[in-house]
Amino acid sequence: MENALGGGIGGVMGQLITGVIGQAIGAIAKLLMPGPDPGGWFVTIVLGLVGSSVGGLVMSLLGLSGMVPGLVGAVLGAMLLLFIYRLVKKG
């Protein structure tokens, strides 16, 4: 019972940490791309999380690994998604 409870709490904490990191990546992307954005904090988290995945995948395909390339890739991926999101919401 203790293992099941510990795993559940770790899973929730992992999701919370991932959400905070996604929010930070999304906020950095919005900071680097000023202008009106059609979305609130939830959109920022989603763009940050998905952008992190996309950016991390691209960096790994390019053979770049490590914390700095991963963070750069995450921010660039979130910026790309923010750009696409703005185009879609505008039109």
Side-chain angles (χ1 to χ4, degrees):
M1 177 101 144
E2 225 174 277
N3 289 339
L5 181 61
I9 292 173
V12 170
M13 288 303 293
Q15 289 177 354
L16 288 173
I17 291 169
T18 301
V20 169
I21 292 170
Q23 176 72 28
I25 296 294
I28 291 169
K30 280 191 174 190
L31 180 68
L32 294 174
M33 293 181 65
D37 289 316
W41 62 271
F42 183 73
V43 173
T44 302
I45 291 175
V46 171
L47 290 174
L49 291 173
V50 176
S52 295
S53 298
V54 170
L57 176 65
V58 169
M59 289 303 218
S60 68
L61 290 174
L62 293 174
L64 302 170
S65 63
M67 183 174 282
V68 174
L71 289 174
V72 170
V75 172
L76 290 176
M79 289 173 68
L80 175 66
L81 290 179
L82 179 59
F83 177 74
I84 293 169
Y85 181 73
R86 286 179 180 175
L87 288 177
V88 169
K89 289 303 262 187
K90 191 183 271 190

